[in-house]
């Protein structure tokens, strides 16, 4: 059983940076695709970026301009470095293992509890 724990959220100013961490228990984690999502109350959860077991990376839209996803296999950790933060980045950020997109919704058997990011203007 894989459990994911996010950390690193908090309050940042516009233009600032935060680094989110997703640490997993379970050795099988290293073979999972891991994705970062974010959700604003009242809105759909949206994917930000993903990284597969081989290090292949995908970003949704323009996130790659400011965010960087990376993976440390030895630490069982996937990080999301967020730079040039904007107030619209305010959300709860989640990591998920092996998410799948079905019928307009993301599903995963492995979600973290989320870490809150607030960007002040």
């Amino acid at each position: 059983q894989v459990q994911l724990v996010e950390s690193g959220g908090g309050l940042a100013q516009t233009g600032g940076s935060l680094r989110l961490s997703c640490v997993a228990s379970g050795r099988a984690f290293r073979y999972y695709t891991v994705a970062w999502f974010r959700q604003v109350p009242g809105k759909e959860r949206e994917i930000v970026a993903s990284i597969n077991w081989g290090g292949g990376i995908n970003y949704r839209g323009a996130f790659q301009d400011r965010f960087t996803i990376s993976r440390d296999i030895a630490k069982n950790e996937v990080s999301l470095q967020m730079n040039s933060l904007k107030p619209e980045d305010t959300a709860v950020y989640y990591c998920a293992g092996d998410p799948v997109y079905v019928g307009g919704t993301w599903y995963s058997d492995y979600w973290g509890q989320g870490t809150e990011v607030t960007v002040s203007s």
Side-chain angles (χ1 to χ4, degrees), residues 6-82:
E6 302 100 333
S7 62
L11 179 64
Q13 293 185 336
T14 295
S17 299
L18 286 173
R19 179 180 176 273
L20 306 183
S21 173
C22 172
V23 177
S25 61
R27 293 181 63 185
F29 179 71
R30 67 184 60 196
Y31 301 113
Y32 287 28
T33 291
V34 178
W36 281 98
F37 293 80
R38 69 184 191 183
Q39 188 169 24
V40 175
K43 292 190 176 182
E44 294 284 325
R45 189 170 296 188
E46 63 175 355
I47 191 167
V48 174
S50 67
I51 185 167
N52 66 23
W53 67 270
I57 291 173
N58 283 289
Y59 294 95
R60 177 175 170 271
F63 285 117
Q64 64 185 338
D65 295 340
R66 300 183 293 120
F67 294 0
T68 303
I69 191 171
S70 61
R71 188 167 200 160
D72 188 327
I73 297 294
K75 295 182 179 179
N76 251 10
E77 179 184 30
V78 173
S79 300
L80 185 69
Q81 177 67 41
M82 305 189 297

Side-chain angles (χ1 to χ4, degrees), residues 85-103:
L85 285 165
K86 305 174 181 179
E88 50 264 44
D89 294 320
T90 295
V92 179
Y93 286 72
Y94 301 87
C95 63
D98 275 354
V100 294
Y101 189 67
V102 179

